[in-house]
Amino acid sequence: MQDPTSEKFHGRLLSASGYDFAQCATCHGSDFSGGKAKKSCLGCHQEGPTACTTCHRGPAGGAHAAHASGALLGRSFACSECHVQPASWDAAGHIRDARGVVDARPAEVQFGALAGAAARFDASTGGCAGVTCHGGQAVSWRAGTPATCGSCHGVPPASHADDRCSVCHAGAGDDVRSPLHVDGVVQIGHGRTDCAACHGGVVDASGAPPPDLSGRFDRASLGVGAHVAHIKAGRLSGPVACESCHVVPATLASPGHIDSAAPAEVSFGGLARARGAQPVWQRASATCAGVYCHGSVTPSWSGGPDEATCGTCHGVPPSDSSHVSTMTLRDCVTCHPRTVDGFGSILFNNGMSEHIDGTIDGI
Ligand code: HEC
Ligand code: HEC
Ligand code: HEC
Ligand code: HEC
Ligand code: HEC
Ligand code: HEC
Ligand code: HEC
Ligand code: HEC
Ligand code: HEC
Ligand code: HEC
């Protein structure tokens, strides 16, 4: 009765009887705590002999172990992804069908939602096909080889121009052993759905770094640089639109956005090109030349002061025929009254300024 190797082992007898627990219960009690036999089953089967783990001790054969906690993805898939999962041992279709007749082996494979409607298991070959988790590819249940990152999808998929997964994908991007990986949903962004899902978000939702695509916040990083000084209205001008330095995508999938490899494209437009200026982004030195806003100065994107002073971009006053060198900041208001006040401070109206707006005020 108690020797698992014996023909008369109770587990074996029970299995042969199609698990006729009722028969045992007549002597051992309906709760198996002893009954008239005064021998409890619960001393050895703490959760009761009808608990799932009494009969399913660890993973069954085939690729069950890989799906219980595969080494690569490190996550488990519920029995219900591939079987009708019984709520209790005596649920119809599990061991016995609805009429009480013992269900013939083999165990039924019936795929759940994650595997997808096209998923098929062929019991004669032991092969699965059309399973979305595997990218629809045919795989062998009984003789499969351990998966690699490239087994189910490209690294990256062929549609991608960028292979820095964690830039755009949370979950699997940050950690493939996440429950968000192989969950039937392609995770895009990092917990938000706006333009700051992959870059930016500290200053506003426009998507302007910081953080940059590598998660950096320091100005010395090219991806961060002087974004904050430009996109926030400061003491000098209203906000500088992204359009001045980039083609701005209307959506994630807009042409020119993520369809090219790093680095991000700097493509001057708008204000940067005002009055015929021909700006150039010199990535090697992280400087910009010929930008309208900066006059003849070649400012550093990732170094230098956070805010330029009067006199950096043009003289105070400029040395040309319209100005005389004795003019001071208090004189500018005479001819440029919409730009400065009598103290030479830049004027703002609802956060916007006529200073550095592409036109010369007052003439
Ligand atoms: C007709 C009453 C009766 C039925 C039916 C019955 N048993 Fe028992 N069983 C006993 C008695 C009495 C003992 C104690 C025998 C002893 O101590 O020598 C026992 C002992 C056992 C033991 C040993 C327990 C221990 O602690 O030593 C196991 C295991 C066992 N039975 C399993 C089963 C299973 C499984 C079933 C159903 C397939 C079953 N029995 C059906 C009366 C019954
Ligand atoms: C003395 C300890 C002991 C007692 C008492 C005991 N069992 Fe078991 N039972 C076992 C062991 C050991 C196994 C086999 C576990 C293994 O192979 O890893 C087992 C296996 C089983 C299985 C699994 C059968 C299968 O197909 O895998 C069932 C069902 C079961 N017992 C029912 C009962 C019932 C009902 C009682 C009480 C009537 C009972 N057991 C009492 C030790 C016990
Ligand atoms: C008394 C033994 C026993 C208990 C208890 C038991 N199972 Fe089973 N289970 C089996 C057997 C035997 C099969 C194989 C049936 C077949 O081959 O058709 C099976 C098959 C399955 C299957 C494969 C699909 C199917 O129905 O064939 C799943 C999933 C499953 N069991 C889950 C569970 C869960 C969950 C529990 C607990 C709620 C549980 N089992 C409790 C014996 C048991
Ligand atoms: C990824 C799919 C998948 C998952 C998840 C899965 N199974 Fe299975 N299972 C199968 C396939 C496929 C077979 C059929 C194997 C065969 O015919 O060779 C099977 C067969 C079985 C069998 C029959 C015994 C055997 O090894 O052939 C049992 C029992 C079983 N599964 C129980 C479970 C239980 C319990 C769970 C959850 C803990 C589970 N399975 C999770 C795919 C799965
Ligand atoms: C620049 C952003 C970006 C990067 C970097 C990126 N992905 Fe994606 N990925 C996406 C977008 C956007 C989609 C959704 C495409 C769609 O729905 O057509 C996607 C979809 C996917 C899909 C779903 C299947 C498919 O082909 O659409 C997989 C798998 C995937 N990516 C894997 C990766 C892996 C692996 C890496 C790193 C090696 C990676 N991605 C890097 C943006 C990115
Ligand atoms: C068993 C097949 C399989 C393997 C192996 C696999 N992936 Fe995936 N992966 C998928 C599927 C299916 C998706 C589609 C989205 C989903 O369901 O999460 C996906 C999506 C992704 C994504 C997009 C983000 C997401 O979760 O939606 C990334 C990134 C990714 N995988 C990276 C990897 C890396 C890195 C490895 C290796 C460590 C790997 N994958 C191994 C099946 C797999
Ligand atoms: C004054 C010019 C300027 C403005 C305005 C500007 N950017 Fe940039 N942006 C740059 C420069 C320069 C780079 C660095 C390009 C490189 O790495 O070659 C950059 C890089 C980026 C990157 C890539 C970061 C990385 O890690 O590689 C993103 C994303 C970006 N900008 C988004 C924006 C958004 C969104 C806005 C508007 C809210 C904006 N930028 C406004 C100049 C600007
Ligand atoms: C899934 C992640 C993701 C989301 C969401 C996203 N971006 Fe980007 N963005 C990137 C990546 C990656 C780059 C760098 C592309 C490159 O290297 O060419 C980038 C670059 C940029 C740039 C710099 C110019 C360029 O195209 O290279 C701007 C501007 C920008 N994004 C704006 C936006 C706006 C506006 C939105 C919302 C409509 C948005 N982004 C949403 C990933 C994303
Ligand atoms: C007497 C009137 C007058 C005063 C006072 C004056 N400006 Fe001007 N300013 C002009 C005129 C006229 C122009 C247009 C010149 C042209 O179109 O070439 C101009 C143009 C400019 C420009 C654009 C230069 C260029 O060529 O792009 C700047 C910068 C400027 N002024 C700064 C100042 C500052 C700073 C002060 C105060 C220190 C000041 N101005 C005081 C009349 C004045
Ligand atoms: C980042 C470069 C830069 C800095 C720093 C700068 N300016 Fe200007 N300034 C410009 C440009 C470019 C113009 C050309 C006119 C325009 O586009 O508004 C200009 C024009 C002017 C004008 C002419 C009126 C007008 O806007 O058309 C005045 C006055 C002026 N600046 C005063 C100042 C004062 C005062 C300071 C310091 C508080 C200052 N500027 C700092 C770039 C700069």
Side-chain angles (χ1 to χ4, degrees), residues 251-329:
T251 68
L252 176 62
S254 294
H257 186 211
I258 59 166
D259 54 7
S260 63
E265 289 78 19
V266 173
S267 173
F268 292 107
L271 193 55
R273 292 191 177 276
R275 297 169 75 211
Q278 295 289 331
V280 193
W281 164 233
Q282 299 160 325
R283 191 165 204 265
S285 58
T287 53
C288 300
V291 179
Y292 167 75
C293 316
H294 291 274
S296 57
V297 174
T298 302
S300 167
W301 173 248
S302 53
D306 282 342
E307 192 169 59
T309 54
C310 313
T312 310
C313 307
H314 53 71
V316 181
S319 49
D320 60 26
S321 57
S322 307
H323 305 85
V324 290
S325 61
T326 51
M327 287 175 180
T328 69
L329 274 177

Side-chain angles (χ1 to χ4, degrees), residues 110-140:
Q110 184 174 318
F111 290 108
L114 192 54
R120 297 283 176 272
F121 174 67
D122 181 341
S124 63
T125 61
C128 295
V131 178
T132 50
C133 312
H134 290 277
Q137 299 173 79
V139 280
S140 169

Side-chain angles (χ1 to χ4, degrees), residues 1-2 10-11 13-14 17 20-28 36-41 44:
M1 265 316 234
Q2 294 172 57
H10 67 282
L13 294 175
L14 254 178
S17 72
D20 187 359
F21 282 106
Q23 185 203 336
C24 320
T26 55
C27 295
H28 291 277
K36 65 182 180 193
K38 297 195 167 51
K39 286 285 179 188
S40 171
C41 311
C44 300

Side-chain angles (χ1 to χ4, degrees), residues 8 42 83 100 117 156 163 179 223 270 283 287 309 332 346 349 357:
K8 296 252 165 61
L42 308 180
H83 300 290
D163 62 1
R283 191 165 204 265
T287 53
T309 54
C332 316
I346 306 295
N349 184 6
D357 66 349

Side-chain angles (χ1 to χ4, degrees), residues 203-238:
V203 177
D204 58 27
S206 68
D212 69 3
L213 291 166
S214 308
R216 292 173 302 213
F217 292 81
D218 61 303
R219 191 175 158 204
S221 296
L222 276 191
V224 178
H227 275 108
V228 175
H230 286 86
I231 63 151
K232 275 177 76 174
R235 198 170 47 86
L236 289 176
S237 78

Side-chain angles (χ1 to χ4, degrees), residues 162 164 167-168 188-189 193-199 206-207 213 242 246-252 256-266:
D162 198 329
R164 301 169 297 168
V167 163
C168 304
I188 307 286
T193 52
D194 59 10
C195 294
C198 304
H199 47 70
S206 68
L213 291 166
C242 318
H246 300 291
V247 171
V248 180
T251 68
L252 176 62
H257 186 211
I258 59 166
D259 54 7
S260 63
E265 289 78 19
V266 173

